[in-house]
């Protein structure tokens, strides 16, 4: 079936063109378009992500170098001008690509779902990463007086090792304000850092029948209702508490657990808040440990996909590029799963980056390439997604890499 097809064209077959076309029709994306459709725009941007292009001009030069192959790559017969792609990124509705990224994330998560911890229910970690921008070039992304930036807020599926939801805001927005954008699932676990101690949102999680694990701040004011006397190793205390103060008690009127945990490896003490009263204190600590997966995901995404240098200066262009980066990441994960590749995502991307215009069948391409000298083959940045063996990263290392 893939005989005489370019590698990039074979990858495109893993995308749902019908779903994307329905989204284009929904947002009227191809209105007044003659040649360069939204589908061609998506493929051109994905080609730039997979081939590690540094700029919009760099991408156009690469496409012009393969102009004889353009049609068979799926990019159409007409040449793509720099102004055409820049105008499309600036003016076409970013929600077309954002909604398609949500679809790709859902499909990839359903395929790659595993069980890391012996606790029933889906497990998610929510965090954000700041992408610095030049305020003079991106005046809409004001962060501080002389700095600009955007934040990518990501809900990360810990067991599937993939993002399940994301949203993009300016860097000046506080992390906890985006908790309201999450569609919480019943019987699922949501893990947060201490920036997300919005008790109003935590109570909303509780009312949906879900569970939260959040690291407590040092200024927590509460009264103790019940203590557990016999503690397992490294659990300093486990108690039920209620908030004090009229405003706080109104935001979260019920009791919840406060667990103090001692981490021997880093010689640190952590305090966790949770409404999960049916699991052990060690399970709560282990759930929070898995939150570091999202930190490693941010590190990997910034190192291996193009979201630190943007190919447009408008907010619409930045949102489209981030969406395409997520789509590309999920596509590689789906290819790994469907083809049962025993390779890390780093290896897959490196092989694809130099083979997009080859006519080698994908299975043969990954089978014949030898990557024995690549360190990440057995020590990936996101363990568990790329191999079966996992060693928990230390919180200190993950925080430094963020």
């Amino acid at each position: 079936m893939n005989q005489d097809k370019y590698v990039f064209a074979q990858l495109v077959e893993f995308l749902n063109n019908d779903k994307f076309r329905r989204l284009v029709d929904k947002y009227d994306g191809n209105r007044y378009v003659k040649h360069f459709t939204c589908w061609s725009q998506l493929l051109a941007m994905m080609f730039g992500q997979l081939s590690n292009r540094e700029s919009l001009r760099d991408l156009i030069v690469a496409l012009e170098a393969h102009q004889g192959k353009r049609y068979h790559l799926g990019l159409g017969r007409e040449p793509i001008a720099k102004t055409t792609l820049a105008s499309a990124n600036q003016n076409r509705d970013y929600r077309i690509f954002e909604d398609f990224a949500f679809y790709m994330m859902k499909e990839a998560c359903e395929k790659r779902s595993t069980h890391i911890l012996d606790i029933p229910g889906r497990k998610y970690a929510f965090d954000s990463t700041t992408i610095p921008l030049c305020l003079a070039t991106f005046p809409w992304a004001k962060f501080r007086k002389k700095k600009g930036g955007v934040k990518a807020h990501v809900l990360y599926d810990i067991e599937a090792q993939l993002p399940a939801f994301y949203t993009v805001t300016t860097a000046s927005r506080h992390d906890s304000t985006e908790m309201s954008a999450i569609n919480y699932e019943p019987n699922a676990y949501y893990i947060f850092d201490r920036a997300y101690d919005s008790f109003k949102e935590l109570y909303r999680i509780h009312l949906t029948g879900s569970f939260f694990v959040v690291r407590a701040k040092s200024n927590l004011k509460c009264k103790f209702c019940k203590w557990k006397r016999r503690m397992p190793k490294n659990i300093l205390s486990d108690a039920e508490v209620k908030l004090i103060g009229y405003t706080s008690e109104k935001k979260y009127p019920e009791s919840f657990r406060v667990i103090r945990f001692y981490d021997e490896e880093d010689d640190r003490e952590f305090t966790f808040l949770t409404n999960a009263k049916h699991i052990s204190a060690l399970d709560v600590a282990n759930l929070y440990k898995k939150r570091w997966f999202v930190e490693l995901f941010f590190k990997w995404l910034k190192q291996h996909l193009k979201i630190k240098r943007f190919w447009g200066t408008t907010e619409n262009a930045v949102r489209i590029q981030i969406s395409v980066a997520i789509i590309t990441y999920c596509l590689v994960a789906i290819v790994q799963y469907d083809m049962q590749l025993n390779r890390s995502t780093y290896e897959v991307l490196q092989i694809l980056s130099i083979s997009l215009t080859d006519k080698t069948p994908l299975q043969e391409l990954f089978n014949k390439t030898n990557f024995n000298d690549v360190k990440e083959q057995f020590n990936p940045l996101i363990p568990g997604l790329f191999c079966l063996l996992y060693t928990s990263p230390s919180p200190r290392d993950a925080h430094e890499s963020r």
Side-chain angles (χ1 to χ4, degrees):
M1 183 178 68
N2 292 322
Q3 186 175 4
D4 294 332
K5 281 192 174 183
Y6 293 110
V7 168
F8 184 73
Q10 296 175 53
L11 290 174
V12 171
E13 292 181 351
F14 288 88
L15 298 175
N16 191 332
N17 193 354
D18 292 334
K19 175 65 177 179
F20 187 81
R21 189 184 300 113
R22 289 195 294 271
L23 292 173
V24 173
D25 293 340
K26 177 182 178 181
Y27 296 108
D28 207 9
N30 283 337
R31 189 180 184 186
Y32 304 129
V33 174
K34 293 182 178 179
H35 303 294
F36 191 60
T37 63
C38 291
W39 180 252
S40 298
Q41 180 186 1
L42 172 66
L43 297 190
M45 296 288 286
M46 288 182 63
F47 188 91
Q49 290 283 350
L50 291 169
S51 58
N52 296 316
R53 299 301 95 193
E54 293 292 337
S55 64
L56 196 64
R57 187 182 300 276
D58 191 14
L59 171 57
I60 297 302
V61 169
L63 293 175
E64 288 178 349
H66 299 290
Q67 57 182 343
K69 307 174 183 177
R70 188 185 300 118
Y71 176 76
H72 296 287
L73 288 172
L75 298 170
R77 298 183 184 275
E78 299 295 326
I80 303 174
K82 179 174 177 287
T83 54
T84 302
L85 183 54
S87 177
N89 288 340
Q90 178 177 341
N91 298 317
R92 291 180 184 171
D93 199 326
Y94 73 88
R95 291 176 295 179
I96 298 171
F97 304 90
E98 188 174 79
D99 287 1
F100 191 62
F102 293 154
Y103 168 79
M104 292 290 291
M105 289 188 291
K106 183 179 179 182
E107 181 182 358
C109 286
E110 289 175 352
K111 289 187 174 186
R112 300 192 63 101
S113 182
T114 58
H115 295 284
I116 294 179
L117 296 174
D118 191 19
I119 303 173
R122 304 291 290 270
K123 294 123 187 123
Y124 299 99
F126 190 63
D127 206 349
S128 70
T129 184
T130 302
I131 304 170
L133 299 173
C134 175
L135 188 58
T137 309
F138 302 85
W140 53 269
K142 188 173 182 180
F143 181 24
R144 295 195 176 103
K145 187 175 181 180
K146 296 183 179 180
K147 291 183 178 181
V150 294
K151 274 185 181 178
H153 307 262
V154 176
L155 183 68
Y156 193 73
D157 191 324
I158 292 175
E159 294 186 321
Q161 302 284 303
L162 287 165
F165 170 80
Y166 77 97
T167 183
V168 179
T169 65
T170 57
S172 58
R173 290 284 295 272
H174 193 271
D175 292 347
S176 62
T177 60
E178 299 308 308
M179 294 174 70
S180 59
I182 303 174
N183 185 20
Y184 296 108
E185 303 174 16
N187 300 316
Y189 293 84
Y190 294 89
I191 308 164
F192 305 96
D193 200 4
R194 54 186 169 188
Y196 298 91
D197 65 339
S198 171
F199 286 105
K200 182 180 179 180
E201 290 299 323
L202 294 178
Y203 191 57
R204 188 165 75 91
I205 296 175
H206 178 71
L207 293 178
T208 58
S210 306
F211 308 101
F212 61 82
V213 175
V214 58
R215 189 175 167 193
K217 288 185 177 179
S218 58
N219 61 351
L220 177 68
K221 295 182 179 180
C222 60
K223 60 180 180 180
F224 289 86
C225 305
K226 189 188 298 184
W227 292 84
K228 285 189 178 180
R229 296 185 179 278
R230 295 182 179 179
M231 298 292 105
K233 184 181 179 182
N234 295 332
I235 300 297
L236 303 181
S237 66
D238 184 358
E240 282 192 32
V241 302
K242 292 191 70 175
L243 295 175
I244 57 175
Y246 175 78
T247 304
S248 299
E249 190 175 1
K250 190 174 181 180
K251 290 179 180 178
Y252 201 110
E254 298 186 32
S255 64
F256 55 87
R257 291 171 73 185
V258 174
I259 298 169
R260 291 171 55 229
F261 170 75
Y262 175 69
D263 186 358
E264 290 182 337
E265 183 179 350
D266 289 336
D267 191 24
R268 295 176 62 188
E269 182 181 318
F270 296 87
T271 303
F272 306 125
L273 312 180
T274 181
N275 66 331
K277 300 179 181 180
H278 60 288
I279 62 175
S280 68
L282 285 176
D283 284 339
V284 172
N286 287 331
L287 277 172
Y288 187 81
K289 267 188 177 180
K290 303 304 180 187
R291 194 195 70 82
W292 297 107
F293 276 138
V294 69
E295 304 277 5
L296 297 176
F297 168 73
F298 289 144
K299 176 180 177 180
W300 193 95
L301 200 66
K302 288 181 175 181
Q303 286 185 343
H304 300 294
L305 291 177
K306 300 302 174 185
I307 64 167
K308 294 182 72 175
R309 293 185 178 181
F310 289 98
W311 302 338
T313 59
T314 64
E315 181 179 0
N316 199 76
V318 169
R319 287 179 175 272
I320 288 177
Q321 186 169 335
I322 292 176
S323 296
V324 173
I326 297 292
I327 292 170
T328 305
Y329 183 85
C330 292
L331 173 64
V332 173
I334 291 172
V335 170
Q336 280 182 290
Y337 179 85
D338 288 352
M339 300 186 67
Q340 298 297 308
L341 300 179
N342 189 25
R343 292 183 178 275
S344 71
T345 300
Y346 172 80
E347 289 179 273
V348 173
L349 282 174
Q350 291 300 309
I351 295 171
L352 291 176
S353 67
I354 59 175
S355 309
L356 293 176
T357 56
D358 290 350
K359 288 189 175 181
T360 310
L362 283 179
Q363 196 69 56
E364 181 182 341
L365 178 69
F366 293 118
N367 287 341
K368 74 178 184 179
T369 309
N370 187 1
F371 262 60
N372 290 333
D373 295 330
V374 178
K375 292 182 179 179
E376 290 196 47
Q377 183 171 1
F378 299 107
N379 187 24
L381 286 173
I382 311 180
L385 174 58
F386 315 130
C387 63
L388 297 178
L389 298 177
Y390 168 66
T391 303
S392 297
S394 69
R396 183 178 301 167
D397 293 341
H399 182 73
E400 291 175 355
S401 68
R402 187 177 171 188

